[in-house]
Structures are given as C-alpha cells and as structure tokens.
C-alpha cells in the first residue's frame, strides 16, 4: 500500500468535517490526489444505512445493532473506496472511522468494547489510519454548538444527555492515550484557522513538508 490514510474524529459541531475538507483542499492544491470519505455513508449502500440509523427514533436500534450497521457501512466503504484509493497511492481523508463506533456505541451507549473491536476487525481488517485527528473540546462547547446547529438530526439519535457526551469525550481521550503515535489531540475550542494550522503542521511532518 502506497497511499496515506488520515481520519478525523470527535464531537459534533466542532468543525471536524470542515477541517477534513480544508485539509483535503490544501493537499489537492499541492498536487496530491485526495479522496474524502464520510461516515456513515460514502457508498450507495452506506447512504441507505445512514437513513436507517438516522430514523432510529421511529425504529429503535440497540447500541449493538447500531454498531453492526455502522460497521456494515464501513466494511463496504473500505472495499469500494478506501482500499482502492490507497492502492492507487492517494491520500484518504476520512470524516469518522471505527474510533467513532468505539467512542459512541462503546463508551457512550455501553456496548461491549471487546465485541466492538472484534466486529471492527471483521469489517476493516488491519486497515488503521496512519494519523487520527481528534478534535476535542469540553462537553459544554459541544452541547452549545449542537444547540446552534441547524437540522442537527443526530442529537435526536443520541439524545441530549450531558453524561452521554461526557462518556464519548472521555472514551475518545482514552483511545488517544492508548495509541499516542496514531492520535493527534487537537484543541477544538479555538478559531478555525488555528485548528487548521495545527493539523497542517502534523500532516507536513508525516508527508515531508513542502518548501
Ligand atoms: P457527524 O459526523 O457530525 O456528521 P453529519 O455531518 O452527518 O452530522 O455525525 C454523525 C453521527 O453519527 C454522530 O452523532 C456520531 C454518529 N456515529 C456513531 O454513533 N457511530 C459511528 O460509528 C459513526 C461513524 C457515527
């Protein structure tokens, strides 16, 4: 495999998707071939699964069922998009990947972590990102941003229970602490440009900085 695999993780409303898009644009301007993915979704089947998950209010889903659906979408995304892109030498910028399942369904909703790791391994094998940017901020910031966000359909999925978001954040920080070489924890409660500059510096260090 010759490509580079980067992922973005963290709470909603912290500009994670925007930062992923900004990084993709910077790399494209430098002449790199970049493929962006988002989860859940990114393939025809993945978008359908996204609809099922988004309607969990009307058709309730246990955390275990959620994890299997997210993992099914991911298994397809890996085979249809991510692996072929990496094999072609491209840079893959993923807006969420399996750490989301560990943080949300595992730490947040209480699904068994060992089971989730086994399912993840079945879905994606050994395909782990080279760097994972965790956009982190205190839960008050996440909840305030969520409240402002238009059409924030996901708060209906997880609820707005503060403890839930505390567990997700804490889970992410544990995952990051367990793999310090892969994770880069970024303070998300700062202006967009400062966050982008930190991410770019890390990516430059990984890829070899441009002159
Ligand atoms: P988000 O990444 O903010 O994207 P969008 O632009 O679609 O709003 O939200 C995706 C939601 O899905 C978020 O609440 C986290 C949740 N999620 C999980 O619970 N588990 C997962 O494995 C994934 C990929 C996402």
């Amino acid at each position: 495999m010759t490509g580079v695999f980067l992922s973005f993780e963290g709470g909603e409303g912290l500009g994670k998707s925007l930062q992923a898009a900004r990084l993709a644009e910077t790399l494209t301007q430098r002449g790199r071939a970049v493929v962006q993915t988002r989860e859940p979704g990114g393939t025809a089947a993945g978008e359908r699964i996204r609809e099922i998950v988004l309607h969990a209010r009307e058709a309730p889903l246990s955390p275990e069922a959620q994890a299997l659906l997210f993992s099914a979408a991911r298994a397809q995304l890996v085979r249809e998009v991510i692996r072929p892109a990496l094999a072609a030498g491209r840079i893959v910028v993923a807006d969420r990947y399996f750490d989301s399942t560990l943080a949300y369904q595992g730490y947040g909703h209480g699904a068994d972590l060992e089971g989730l790791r086994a399912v993840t391994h079945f879905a994606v094998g050994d395909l782990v990102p080279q760097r994972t940017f965790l956009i982190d901020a205190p839960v008050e910031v996440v909840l305030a941003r969520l409240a402002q966000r238009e059409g924030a359909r996901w708060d209906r999925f997880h609820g707005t229970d503060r403890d839930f978001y505390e567990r997700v954040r804490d889970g992410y920080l544990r995952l990051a602490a367990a793999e310090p070489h892969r994770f880069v924890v970024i303070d998300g409660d700062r202006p967009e440009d400062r966050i982008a500059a930190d991410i770019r510096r890390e990516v430059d260090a990984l890829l070899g900085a441009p002159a």
Side-chain angles (χ1 to χ4, degrees):
M1 188 191 299
T2 52
V4 180
F5 186 14
L6 309 171
S7 66
F8 282 78
E9 293 286 352
E12 296 92 334
L14 296 176
K16 168 181 54 61
S17 305
L18 190 109
Q19 292 292 342
R22 271 184 78 149
L23 177 64
E25 196 187 314
T26 303
L27 294 170
T28 304
Q29 279 167 2
R30 289 185 190 165
R32 306 291 302 242
V34 181
V35 173
Q36 268 185 271
T37 64
R38 75 159 183 180
E39 286 202 19
T43 64
E47 293 298 331
R48 290 185 171 212
I49 292 172
R50 180 186 183 86
E51 287 306 310
I52 297 175
V53 176
L54 266 170
H55 289 95
R57 256 290 156 92
E58 302 98 81
L61 284 170
S62 66
E64 293 75 17
Q66 294 170 23
L68 290 168
L69 286 168
F70 283 120
S71 299
R74 188 170 303 129
Q76 191 61 26
L77 184 69
V78 161
R79 285 159 185 81
E80 232 178 83
V81 179
I82 299 179
R83 273 195 201 139
L86 293 173
R90 304 204 163 96
I91 299 177
V92 174
V93 177
D95 186 353
R96 297 194 182 280
Y97 192 54
F98 64 71
D99 298 300
S100 283
T101 303
L102 299 173
Y104 283 83
Q105 279 65 49
Y107 288 98
H109 289 299
D112 175 61
L113 282 168
E114 283 311 305
L116 293 180
R117 289 190 190 279
V119 166
T120 292
H121 190 260
F122 182 63
V124 308
D126 294 325
L127 190 56
V128 178
Q130 272 122 306
R131 285 292 180 283
T132 296
F133 298 101
L134 172 59
I135 315 282
D136 173 65
V139 169
E140 302 79 67
V141 177
V142 174
L143 289 176
R145 302 266 182 96
L146 264 182
Q148 285 168 9
R149 206 172 174 189
E150 271 183 49
R153 301 189 288 175
W154 291 106
D155 61 358
R156 282 188 270 140
F157 176 58
H158 298 298
T160 49
D161 171 19
R162 189 203 155 88
D163 289 347
F164 170 78
Y165 289 96
E166 291 281 9
R167 290 196 299 275
V168 171
R169 181 189 188 206
D170 181 62
Y172 267 131
L173 291 172
R174 281 168 191 252
L175 294 172
E179 285 181 82
H181 297 295
R182 172 162 72 95
F183 276 91
V184 180
V185 182
I186 305 270
D187 174 0
D189 190 16
R190 291 179 306 156
E192 198 189 301
D193 287 345
R194 299 260 318 269
I195 297 177
D198 282 1
I199 293 168
R200 214 165 42 234
R201 196 166 337 104
E202 289 290 338
V203 172
D204 287 345
L206 181 70
L207 299 180

